[in-house]
Amino acid sequence: MNNEIFSDSHLEEIASFKGIKLFWIKTQKFKTNSINIFFHDNLTRDRASKNALLPAVLRRGTKEFPSIRDISLYLDELYGTAFDCGVTKKGENHIIQFYIEYISDKYASSDVDLTKNAFDFLMKIITDPVLENGKFKNEYVEQEIKKLSELISSRVNDKMHYALERCLEEMCSKEPFGIYDYGSLEDLKTIDRDNLFEHYIEFIETLPMYVFISGDLKLPQIQYIKDGLSKLKRGQEKEIIINEKESSVNNVKDIVERFDVSQGKLSLGFRTNIYAQQEDYYKLLVYNSVLGGGIHSKLFQNVREKEGLAYYAFSRLEKFKGLMVISSGIEISNKDRAIDVIKNQLDEIRKGNISDYEYEAAIKSIETGIKSLKDSQLQLVDFYLSQHIAKTNDKPDSIIEKIKQVSKKDIAEIASKIELDTVYFITNNEKGE
Amino acid sequence: MEIKTINYSKIDEVVYCYEHKSGLKAFVIPKKGYSKKYATFATHYGSINNEFNVAGENTKVPDGIAHFLEHKLFEQKDGSVMDKFSKLGSSPNAYTSFSQTVYLFSCTDRFDENFDLLLDYVQNPYITEESVEKEKDIIGQEIRMYEDNANWKVFFNLLDAFYEKNPVKIDIAGSIESISKINKEVLYKCYNTFYHPSNMVILVVGDVDHKEVFSKVEKGIQITDKQPDIERIFPDESLGINKDYVEHKLSVAMPVFQMGFKDSGFKTKGTECLNREIALKILLEMIVGRSSNLYTKLYNEGLINNTFEFDYSIEENYAFSSFGGESKDPLKVKEFIVKEIKDLYSRGLSKDDFQRIKKAMRGRFIKQLNSVERVSHMFMSVYFKDVNVFDYFDVYDKISFEYLENLFKEHFVIDNLAMSVVKPIDS
């Protein structure tokens, strides 16, 4: 294997200007190239719904491609180029993403520069929307408000994810993290095309931007993108400040939601009091892997394999906010027993009862996961973006090095910092619990 | 050792193939520079194979047994094979579909040991009465999980609308009642019938040396004699649909629907099957894809949202198209689709649309080759239909507009249209 050509996790910072950071993940491994543009905001009640609605309205059309159909016709002609946008939260950061992915030049006819076309298109989506009297087209705004309301209401359709997200929201109901990625139905009601347009101008002029180009590009193509970005009208860059304060738990919250379901969904939310910038974070990564990070984990081995209580039982970290959530689908009548078994697993780790198998498999599993992300452009981009958001400076390989230094004793030590905050349960309407 | 090499230079892919003396075929698709190595060991046996004949002996088995067997193969005499994979840092997995059971692992290091393990455990079941009973609890929770899943429910109800007896309409995991009848003997019976190497395939995708993989297969496959043919028995099914509408209620915020056309009288193997699948996918794009007028109408009327998707499936004893997602008014969606299809009968299909969509689908196909998982899944999903996944790319050139027009008339027959809706409980 030629390491020069296939060095695939290398990130190069190309430029930084006007609050825009431009990166290039140089790789020949993939058969496509991609461009990702991220806007970075604070997650706040008054902005969340607007931030969510904005990409939905922008993807409806540009002056040149004024409808979904016009956009699709154009992307079809660009060899089925994929385009999408959306929002996500990373801790109390709100991230708005615009993404385009197209085949490498070698698979396209030589008279077309797909990179140029794709980048121009993405910029038109962001900066050149269809306007009506100098504001967004009313029809588009109204339709997208309805669709976003549907999306928010339909969260309950997927009980597994719903139970997990709701647990964390209930846990952080008095903190910005408790805000749903897409905002709320009430906040959506306050939006019209006037205040959305105002928000839009401020959004594109002041929010910090991260641009990631990934793939086998030539220098003039990179230069073209850089030039295009430098033409953006930008004002004073907004400073994104996230308040990370430890909060100790006084009383464990007990939340029950009722639906007509046949399976109960149990989520336990924890405060780890450990954040990504701290050295303890790597210990926490291994802790989580031992507890519920795969088939080697205590939760899988005990809740599923030994007790037969569940088909799935896992734990997951929210690294930006220092949270952990355990999730499992169980027979409704088994709630108390499942909680006991889960709590026992946490106790075992606290006491240092971690087998060699659990410990070694936990580290191996993280290593495999991190090496694997190099095989996906989107995952690599997300990895590097997360490093910037969390203000950490890790590379895939440096994380692997650090987790290998974590000992069983380290895991047991940080276990005492992890506090149960909220027990959340979805049960059915008939039987009580 | 005889190794066949097939080059797909237009898309820079190569497939190596080797046939073991038992009749098992093994394939390697090299992916230079990838960290992940993805190995699959699969049998042509899935949830629909609940009745079969071997050497004149007829056997009927409880629903959900192929899936149950998949769970049980992970158990070995010296413990769970999952633990052994975990020790090596790899993630093992398995899934059962209608017509195949697939065992796989993904690793970044120590491929050889992982691969030996895969070959070993799939060939050496160790099933005890006690472990069968315990597994019923775990699978019971898996079944319960799907009972609450609207997308799952609405899809199986569409199959129920299409088919009266075809076992494809039965939940892959079976029911709590059907799995209660499963025991050790019947599991071994199914294993011995369907897990003969000649009924199986091995595929490795990743940065590996294909010769080493094949020599491991040569040494690692224990059975070398051929076995009698398996006759898979399916009930006779009428050509038309079973019901035109099925409704169910679940705890959802907005109705979820699936509708589609039942396909009949088709060839399900080889090139013809591939042509049909791709042509129908092109047709669906033309009729209701994002660049169609119908999509715009449905979207602007607020009848569909971004959950809307469509597909065409073709397997050995069934085929159908399907469209679905969330909608406040699924019947209205159906009205629009029916009207558009009727209009298309008089208006005719557009040649420009056809050319444009072919170009787009070709690009999307190339994009999927980026992922070792996608390549493996695509390969496996067509392998037992005697189709090589990379042949997809050339089919786009071979499909004529006339073929498409004929297929349109054959498939989009309103009498074959069925619909399934899951409504909110309090509606």
Side-chain angles (χ1 to χ4, degrees):
Chain A
M1 187 173 110
N2 182 333
N3 283 316
E4 273 299 299
I5 294 173
F6 293 115
S7 151
D8 49 17
S9 55
H10 181 70
L11 180 81
E12 199 177 315
E13 183 165 333
I14 299 291
S16 176
F17 51 85
K18 299 203 277 192
I20 305 169
K21 281 193 162 69
L22 174 62
F23 301 96
W24 181 14
I25 299 171
K26 218 170 170 176
T27 166
Q28 293 186 338
K29 193 159 94 176
F30 304 107
K31 291 184 159 75
T32 56
N33 301 319
S34 69
I35 304 169
N36 275 282
I37 300 182
F38 299 96
F39 290 84
H40 181 192
D41 201 355
N42 287 115
L43 181 64
T44 58
R45 178 88 204 256
D46 59 320
R47 297 175 68 87
S49 287
K50 283 179 186 155
N51 281 344
L53 185 61
L54 198 52
V57 170
L58 292 177
R59 79 167 155 217
R60 291 300 302 271
T62 71
K63 280 199 192 83
E64 190 180 346
F65 309 109
S67 70
I68 292 179
R69 180 167 143 79
D70 295 311
I71 289 172
S72 305
L73 288 171
Y74 181 64
L75 296 177
D76 282 355
E77 287 298 346
L78 297 184
Y79 301 89
T81 287
F83 150 69
D84 208 353
C85 42
V87 287
T88 172
K89 67 179 178 191
K90 288 181 185 291
E92 292 176 353
N93 303 278
H94 211 197
I95 308 292
I96 301 88
Q97 177 180 17
F98 297 84
Y99 146 91
I100 195 155
E101 185 175 356
Y102 52 95
I103 56 172
S104 308
D105 292 335
K106 62 195 287 198
Y107 303 111
S109 91
S110 56
D111 57 353
V112 51
D113 185 344
L114 285 176
T115 297
K116 183 175 172 296
N117 285 322
F119 175 71
D120 286 347
F121 170 80
L122 203 55
M123 289 301 276
K124 277 173 199 153
I125 288 284
I126 295 169
T127 63
D128 199 20
V130 185
L131 298 182
E132 227 173 41
N133 307 323
K135 304 276 171 67
F136 289 127
K137 195 170 166 177
N138 205 32
E139 184 195 341
Y140 287 175
V141 174
E142 284 180 359
Q143 284 174 357
E144 292 308 320
I145 287 177
K146 269 195 200 132
K147 301 237 189 261
L148 197 51
S149 312
E150 286 176 10
L151 188 146
I152 293 171
S153 316
S154 294
R155 282 179 86 186
V156 296
N157 289 14
D158 181 347
K159 299 286 184 298
M160 187 173 155
H161 281 107
Y162 182 78
L164 201 153
E165 291 174 354
R166 285 287 299 131
C167 175
L168 293 173
E169 284 174 21
E170 283 291 341
M171 193 171 155
C172 302
S173 57
K174 295 194 175 69
E175 298 155 78
F177 189 73
I179 299 163
Y180 182 41
D181 309 45
Y182 296 94
S184 68
L185 293 175
E186 299 97 80
D187 294 336
L188 266 181
K189 286 190 193 117
T190 67
I191 304 179
D192 56 38
R193 69 176 189 143
D194 291 333
N195 58 28
L196 186 67
F197 197 76
E198 243 168 71
H199 180 78
Y200 164 66
I201 297 297
E202 187 225 291
F203 178 102
I204 56 167
E205 287 184 4
T206 67
L207 290 188
M209 287 171 69
Y210 295 93
V211 181
F212 288 84
I213 312 163
S214 162
D216 183 16
L217 281 86
K218 297 187 183 65
L219 284 174
Q221 292 173 313
I222 300 287
Q223 188 61 40
Y224 183 82
I225 291 171
K226 192 177 151 190
D227 291 346
L229 291 167
S230 68
K231 284 176 206 142
L232 279 175
K233 189 181 166 222
R234 298 276 287 171
Q236 178 69 39
E237 183 188 359
K238 180 175 175 179
E239 202 181 345
I240 308 295
I241 302 164
I242 307 297
N243 292 315
E244 276 163 4
K245 48 175 198 288
E246 296 195 11
S247 47
S248 56
V249 184
N250 296 321
N251 290 309
V252 175
K253 275 187 250 180
D254 207 344
I255 311 279
V256 173
E257 271 198 82
R258 289 178 188 278
F259 293 101
D260 282 286
V261 289
S262 71
Q263 186 181 59
K265 298 278 193 277
L266 177 66
S267 299
L268 306 184
F270 298 82
R271 300 205 181 252
T272 70
N273 298 305
I274 296 168
Y275 302 94
Q277 310 81 0
Q278 300 168 339
E279 280 308 304
D280 277 354
Y281 173 68
Y282 306 94
K283 299 173 190 167
L284 180 64
L285 276 178
V286 184
Y287 170 93
N288 176 61
S289 183
V290 169
L291 177 65
I295 51 180
H296 58 273
S297 69
K298 286 189 182 287
L299 290 177
F300 188 90
Q301 294 293 338
N302 291 284
V303 179
R304 173 173 151 143
E305 296 295 295
K306 206 171 272 166
E307 303 282 338
L309 286 167
Y311 172 66
Y312 71 90
F314 61 85
S315 63
R316 183 183 290 173
L317 296 175
E318 208 307 343
K319 76 168 187 178
F320 303 91
K321 177 74 183 163
L323 308 176
M324 182 177 79
V325 62
I326 292 174
S327 188
S328 186
I330 55 170
E331 203 61 49
I332 286 166
S333 57
N334 282 338
K335 179 186 176 189
D336 292 339
R337 199 155 137 246
I339 293 176
D340 280 348
V341 175
I342 291 170
K343 281 185 175 168
N344 278 339
Q345 307 317 311
L346 287 131
D347 284 342
E348 288 296 304
I349 301 183
R350 216 171 287 138
K351 287 184 215 147
N353 292 334
I354 302 162
S355 71
D356 288 343
Y357 162 62
E358 286 164 344
Y359 169 70
E360 282 156 23
I363 288 179
K364 275 261 148 218
S365 142
I366 300 172
E367 185 182 349
T368 304
I370 288 178
K371 284 184 178 167
S372 298
L373 67 82
K374 296 180 187 176
D375 289 350
S376 153
Q377 301 191 72
L378 265 181
Q379 281 185 39
L380 264 181
V381 167
D382 184 66
F383 175 85
Y384 283 117
L385 176 73
S386 295
Q387 298 302 318
H388 278 275
I389 303 291
K391 299 195 174 66
T392 48
N393 197 18
D394 272 314
K395 294 179 177 57
D397 294 339
S398 67
I399 295 188
I400 293 172
E401 282 316 304
K402 286 176 189 163
I403 56 144
K404 281 183 173 170
Q405 306 303 317
V406 175
S407 67
K408 282 189 193 174
K409 197 165 150 265
D410 292 333
I411 302 169
E413 264 171 30
I414 63 127
S416 61
K417 289 189 161 190
I418 297 168
E419 292 178 292
L420 177 62
D421 184 292
T422 299
V423 176
Y424 173 91
F425 192 55
I426 289 181
T427 183
N428 66 15
N429 284 320
E430 296 122 44
K431 300 169 228 166
E433 26 111 19
Chain B
M1 178 185 288
E2 199 187 321
I3 298 173
K4 217 168 98 186
T5 308
I6 316 170
N7 275 297
Y8 295 87
S9 53
K10 277 190 233 168
I11 46 173
D12 297 317
E13 298 287 350
V14 180
V15 180
Y16 297 106
C17 173
Y18 155 73
E19 186 169 343
H20 185 260
K21 51 188 172 237
S22 61
L24 172 129
K25 280 192 183 151
F27 298 84
V28 170
I29 300 175
K31 280 290 198 183
K32 273 270 169 252
Y34 274 75
S35 311
K36 248 186 289 189
K37 295 153 184 83
Y38 203 88
T40 301
F41 195 177
T43 166
H44 187 193
Y45 168 53
S47 66
I48 59 174
N49 304 116
N50 53 15
E51 188 179 354
F52 48 88
N53 257 338
V54 179
E57 189 199 339
N58 179 278
T59 309
K60 276 187 191 163
V61 292
D63 295 337
I65 195 153
H67 172 260
F68 204 104
L69 190 54
E70 173 227 298
H71 272 239
K72 272 340 301 164
L73 273 200
F74 281 97
E75 204 128 301
Q76 296 284 289
K77 204 164 194 168
D78 53 352
S80 165
V81 73
M82 294 207 202
D83 298 351
K84 297 183 194 166
F85 278 110
S86 277
K87 267 181 205 149
L88 295 169
S90 61
S91 356
N93 209 341
Y95 61 90
T96 307
S97 69
F98 294 129
S99 54
Q100 50 186 284
T101 313
V102 181
Y103 300 86
L104 56 94
F105 70 81
S106 152
C107 73
T108 55
D109 300 304
R110 300 166 81 174
F111 171 79
D112 286 355
E113 290 158 82
N114 280 295
F115 191 60
D116 287 341
L117 199 52
L118 176 71
L119 294 185
D120 182 63
Y121 89 86
V122 176
Q123 292 184 84
N124 294 293
Y126 178 75
I127 302 167
T128 61
E129 285 300 351
E130 191 199 346
S131 75
V132 169
E133 287 315 305
K134 205 192 71 194
E135 203 65 36
K136 287 177 183 173
D137 288 340
I138 296 174
I139 294 177
Q141 284 311 312
E142 190 178 357
I143 292 170
R144 286 244 184 275
M145 181 175 83
Y146 284 116
E147 279 171 10
D148 290 333
N149 184 321
N151 290 322
W152 187 261
K153 195 77 201 168
V154 78
F155 177 67
F156 275 89
N157 282 352
L158 178 66
L159 294 175
D160 180 44
F162 285 146
Y163 303 105
E164 191 195 340
K165 300 173 209 147
N166 193 322
V168 71
K169 67 190 251 180
I170 301 161
D171 204 319
I172 287 170
S175 62
I176 306 254
E177 201 259 323
S178 78
I179 63 168
S180 73
K181 294 179 202 140
I182 290 175
N183 59 36
K184 183 180 141 186
E185 283 68 38
V186 66
L187 285 165
Y188 270 112
K189 169 97 197 173
C190 290
Y191 180 86
N192 291 328
T193 306
F194 289 102
Y195 283 66
H196 185 278
S198 60
N199 193 45
M200 301 181 77
V201 63
I202 288 173
L203 168 70
V204 178
V205 185
D207 198 347
V208 294
D209 180 337
H210 64 276
K211 285 185 199 134
E212 281 173 24
V213 171
F214 292 149
S215 83
K216 277 189 173 294
V217 172
E218 187 178 33
K219 288 183 209 114
I221 297 298
Q222 296 147 0
I223 298 175
T224 51
D225 59 330
K226 307 262 174 180
Q227 80 161 3
D229 285 343
I230 309 162
E231 189 195 342
R232 296 164 167 83
I233 299 174
F234 300 113
D236 284 333
E237 180 81 40
S238 58
L239 292 180
I241 55 175
N242 180 30
K243 311 164 196 174
D244 63 0
Y245 184 76
V246 181
E247 191 177 294
H248 183 79
K249 290 196 171 180
L250 273 181
S251 159
V252 290
M254 198 168 39
V256 179
F257 75 97
Q258 278 289 337
M259 55 183 284
F261 293 87
K262 178 176 172 180
D263 208 357
S264 305
F266 45 82
K267 285 243 167 52
T268 56
K269 293 238 167 187
T271 323
E272 235 178 285
C273 157
L274 182 64
N275 288 349
R276 190 180 185 92
E277 180 185 335
I278 291 189
L280 260 159
K281 285 181 175 168
I282 294 173
L283 276 170
L284 288 167
E285 279 285 344
M286 288 168 72
I287 297 167
V288 75
R290 288 179 76 93
S291 55
S292 69
N293 283 311
L294 177 58
Y295 184 93
T296 301
K297 268 185 242 167
L298 290 168
Y299 191 93
N300 289 350
E301 293 282 331
L303 289 169
I304 57 171
N305 56 30
N306 290 314
T307 60
F308 184 74
E309 280 177 355
F310 50 87
D311 202 5
Y312 174 74
S313 308
I314 178 162
E315 289 292 338
E316 58 190 319
N317 69 332
Y318 63 89
F320 56 86
S321 57
S322 55
F323 330 77
E326 293 166 1
S327 175
K328 61 181 185 192
D329 192 351
L331 287 173
K332 200 99 196 155
V333 177
K334 183 179 166 183
E335 246 175 61
F336 271 79
I337 289 179
V338 168
K339 184 177 179 306
E340 177 68 11
I341 282 165
K342 284 183 177 158
D343 286 353
L344 274 172
Y345 269 101
S346 51
R347 197 170 73 222
L349 300 166
S350 146
K351 224 170 193 165
D352 287 348
D353 286 353
F354 172 59
Q355 295 301 349
R356 192 190 70 249
I357 281 161
K358 275 204 295 187
K359 191 175 181 185
M361 285 177 70
R362 217 187 253 135
R364 287 184 212 144
F365 178 75
I366 290 176
K367 184 182 157 200
Q368 301 198 63
L369 304 176
N370 276 344
S371 149
V372 294
E373 288 97 331
R374 276 307 301 155
V375 170
S376 298
H377 288 160
M378 288 193 308
F379 183 97
M380 289 314 307
S381 68
V382 295
Y383 174 74
F384 292 118
K385 294 187 273 184
D386 294 338
V387 171
N388 184 323
V389 66
F390 294 133
D391 289 337
Y392 265 84
F393 196 71
D394 285 326
V395 170
Y396 295 111
D397 289 329
K398 290 180 191 146
I399 290 171
S400 71
F401 189 63
E402 290 66 38
Y403 176 71
L404 206 78
E405 283 180 311
N406 288 330
L407 195 59
F408 172 76
K409 287 176 201 142
E410 195 187 312
H411 181 76
F412 294 93
V413 176
I414 304 299
D415 284 347
N416 292 337
L417 178 63
M419 182 166 210
S420 153
V421 178
V422 167
K423 284 191 172 170
I425 281 174
D426 39 11
S427 71

